Amino acid sequence: MSEEAAQWTDAASVDEVPANDVVGMMVGGHDIALYKVDGEVFATSNICTHGDGRLCEGFLEGHEIECPLHQGKFDVRSGRATYDPAIEPVRAYPVKIEGGRVFLSLVEQ
Ligand code: FES
């Protein structure tokens, strides 16, 4: 996706995302989970694809978020499901950091 097409939306300050942890927030009508792993910020849908688990209430270990309901896991970099019963990926959102702010591209790719 080109920089122009991405249409970046200001989501949060970098400091609002806890180090090596996850936080949930609504951004432009999307329920988003923001993660910070070793200083790098990632964003996925906050809703597990297996059920109604909210990933922001899960457990982040490295680049993997564990759903609080049935312990399915996803890679926060790509949204790929990495552990049963999660099979379908969660949507991962492109992230850009500028001026201490986290911007997300919410446009479908
Ligand atoms: S709702 Fe997330 S693993 Fe079941």
Side-chain angles (χ1 to χ4, degrees), residues 48-55 67-74 83-86:
C48 181
T49 53
H50 178 252
D52 291 332
R54 300 191 78 226
L55 298 181
C67 177
L69 283 194
H70 313 110
Q71 289 71 54
K73 294 182 184 177
F74 302 91
Y83 196 77
D84 289 347

Side-chain angles (χ1 to χ4, degrees), residues 5-17:
Q7 296 178 16
W8 299 102
T9 301
D10 190 341
S13 96
V14 172
D15 293 341
E16 282 177 76
V17 188

Side-chain angles (χ1 to χ4, degrees), residues 44-60:
T44 70
S45 165
N46 197 14
I47 307 301
C48 181
T49 53
H50 178 252
D52 291 332
R54 300 191 78 226
L55 298 181
C56 68
E57 294 164 5
F59 175 65
L60 183 67

Side-chain angles (χ1 to χ4, degrees), residues 11-12 16-17 23-27 30-34 46 54 56:
E16 282 177 76
V17 188
V23 64
M25 61 182 64
M26 293 301 292
V27 182
H30 297 246
D31 197 353
I32 301 282
L34 290 176
N46 197 14
R54 300 191 78 226
C56 68

